[in-house]
Amino acid sequence: MEAELSPGPGPGCERPQLRAGGRDPSALRAEAPWLSAQGSGPRAAPVTVPAPPQGPSMGGGFAGLEFALPQEPLAADLGTPGTWAGAAGLPTPSVHIPVPAQRSPPGKARLDEVLAAAALTSLSTSPLYLGAPAVSFSPEPDLEPWREALTQPTGSYSSSSNSGDCVWDQASDQSSPSTPSPPLPPEAAHFLFGEPTQRKRKSAVQVVFQCLWKSCGKVLRTASAIQRHIRLVHLGRRAEPEHSDGEEDFYYTELDIGVDMLTNGLSNLAPTSPEAPVPPAFPHLDLPSLLRPLALPLPLPPLLSSAAPPKTCHGDHAHHAGEATGGSWEQVSGHSGEERNPSCSSPQGCLAPVHVDPQPTEGRATAPALPSKLGASLRKPRGDAKKCRKVYGTDHRDLWCTACRWKKACQRFLD
DNA sequence: AATGCCGGGTA
DNA sequence: TACCCGGCATT
């Protein structure tokens, strides 16, 4: 029996969720780019702010608010008159937007105020999208897509006070002219860009199933569908489910999409937390992980999630998943549940849905915990997902993913 | 004790 | 780069 179980699945499957682009152990450790940023000194954080061209007040104020500017720049500013701070004669170069009473010039000032107010309003409503969060991630070049994704909606949102038009036109790619890879799926965009769209659709939890087979990544709505898919396509077995020994279960993963959790994750990103202005506070957070499944062919920063383990679904509990899901996700990968999606060639599957682990405790716990111990060992808390060892047993070691065989972090059952 | 996996070693 | 394993943290 076990003899036939060719190791095929093993090496084949280990890839899927793993970061494309080869995150090596070291990278794995440095889950937080900001760690190095921290080390590399003061210039990292504030300087790189991609100052939004339109609103100096917005961008500047924002960045400043968030990442309390380091000493040196402050001092410099104080010293050098001519900056707005100097001009205003304020003793402290506070970044608060000056909305003082002494704004005398009546006509023009009014306009400015209106603008400022508008800006502030939009800021307060959608704090997330300005430069700040993007900055914190900046060290990772691979994050470009994210950043773009994050920043992009800015415009559309601010201009989206009217109802329906706020759909972010993802098709028009201003960001990545060259990448053939599909941008984020609309749904994901909703998650990412939060409030406005997300409020619209308040679907609680969706579950989809993604094939983990190498270079497949098919996403189907029901467990049975994905099982059948795996059986037929990958395992080359007959389609009778009753014949199954459950092996398919190892080759797909269940992905829950929890809207609320996602929103939470994002809101952490947002500069709304006044007490935690330190960039390290959120970088590792979950954003990447939230997005990770969307990984495109290009190597994405892994930053494995702490709160989003795509749990493998095992036969007995293909639970609620199957039927409950609405139809929306199916389109992500294959339109009609066909066997192969031509447009989907990435090992990760085309665009896997975002997955958020519904466990209440974890999501929050990890984020704050991380930054505190910078130098210390950031050993991961150890997820509760089953690992190869547990699943296959020590005597079927050949079925383990390579990482497990090498005593590395399991690649097949990520947590 | 079993497990997960980091860090480092070897080929 | 692939592979292995000591050793430590966690369960």
Side-chain angles (χ1 to χ4, degrees):
Chain A
M1 210 26 187
E2 60 277 30
E4 287 90 69
L5 294 178
S6 70
C13 250
E14 76 216 13
R15 256 324 181 197
Q17 289 288 346
L18 183 66
R19 57 272 154 64
R23 186 170 80 155
D24 54 69
S26 58
L28 217 158
R29 303 212 98 239
E31 347 189 31
W34 39 270
L35 275 184
S36 51
Q38 172 88 353
S40 64
R43 60 148 177 229
V47 182
T48 39
V49 175
Q54 331 91 316
S57 60
M58 294 169 62
F62 201 75
L65 274 174
E66 265 332 281
F67 313 122
L69 296 172
Q71 259 57 358
E72 355 168 5
L74 279 190
D77 277 2
L78 279 175
T80 55
T83 63
W84 65 268
L90 294 176
T92 59
S94 156
V95 250
H96 303 314
I97 297 181
V99 204
Q102 69 218 86
R103 250 247 178 91
S104 25
K108 198 193 271 189
R110 184 156 296 162
L111 191 93
D112 287 349
E113 284 176 4
V114 171
L115 284 178
L120 280 176
T121 308
S122 69
L123 260 181
S124 63
T125 359
S126 67
L128 159 65
Y129 312 128
L130 290 225
V135 177
S136 55
F137 290 99
S138 60
E140 225 350 304
D142 288 340
L143 278 169
E144 284 306 328
W146 311 111
R147 182 185 326 174
E148 314 235 334
L150 278 175
T151 25
Q152 198 156 18
T154 309
S156 47
Y157 174 47
S158 59
S159 64
S160 69
S161 40
N162 48 357
S163 53
D165 300 333
C166 62
V167 180
W168 169 38
D169 183 8
Q170 50 159 3
S172 69
D173 66 317
Q174 351 167 258
S175 51
S176 55
S178 58
T179 63
S181 35
L184 303 173
E187 295 287 340
H190 292 169
F191 294 127
L192 285 184
F193 309 132
E195 300 271 307
T197 31
Q198 160 249 322
R199 287 281 174 245
K200 274 195 250 180
R201 280 174 195 265
K202 176 112 181 175
S203 57
V205 172
Q206 290 202 347
V207 184
V208 297
F209 299 85
Q210 180 182 25
C211 176
L212 292 179
W213 202 274
K214 182 183 184 180
S215 71
C216 175
K218 189 167 187 56
V219 175
L220 294 174
R221 271 193 3 246
T222 66
S224 54
I226 197 72
Q227 285 174 349
R228 194 184 32 177
H229 159 83
I230 290 169
R231 265 198 308 275
L232 280 173
V233 179
H234 300 309
L235 297 180
R237 296 183 183 175
R238 300 270 63 86
E240 301 102 6
E242 60 269 28
H243 227 82
S244 152
D245 56 358
E247 188 181 353
E248 321 86 41
D249 296 339
F250 297 126
Y251 304 128
Y252 69 91
T253 183
E254 172 190 357
L255 304 165
D256 301 271
I257 306 107
V259 174
D260 290 331
M261 288 291 293
L262 239 174
T263 320
N264 287 345
L266 287 177
S267 65
N268 281 343
L269 265 182
T272 41
S273 61
E275 82 288 356
V278 230
F282 35 79
H284 177 231
L285 176 76
D286 284 330
L287 179 65
S289 66
L290 298 178
L291 304 175
R292 166 171 42 99
L294 302 168
L296 310 175
L298 52 141
L300 277 179
L303 297 176
L304 285 194
S305 100
S306 38
K311 283 200 161 51
T312 342
C313 174
H314 286 271
D316 54 305
H317 63 295
H319 44 215
H320 52 273
E323 292 74 31
T325 57
S328 52
W329 270 113
E330 179 112 19
Q331 284 134 2
V332 170
S333 158
H335 297 243
S336 47
E338 288 300 317
E339 290 308 316
R340 280 233 144 224
N341 177 6
S343 66
C344 166
S345 54
S346 106
Q348 318 236 285
C350 322
L351 298 175
V354 178
H355 166 271
V356 172
D357 188 293
Q359 288 177 6
T361 52
E362 283 208 0
R364 182 163 332 154
T366 41
L370 270 170
S372 56
K373 290 228 167 199
L374 285 182
S377 68
L378 346 123
R379 205 173 181 122
K380 292 192 288 192
R382 188 194 294 193
D384 42 0
K386 286 186 181 168
K387 308 293 182 185
C388 292
R389 180 197 295 260
K390 215 171 228 166
V391 171
Y392 300 108
T394 39
D395 34 51
H396 290 101
R397 202 177 154 139
D398 49 328
L399 290 180
W400 296 6
C401 68
T402 40
C404 278
R405 265 183 278 131
W406 301 344
K407 294 171 98 177
K408 299 285 183 202
C410 178
Q411 298 170 347
R412 187 173 298 163
F413 306 102
L414 305 166
D415 36 32

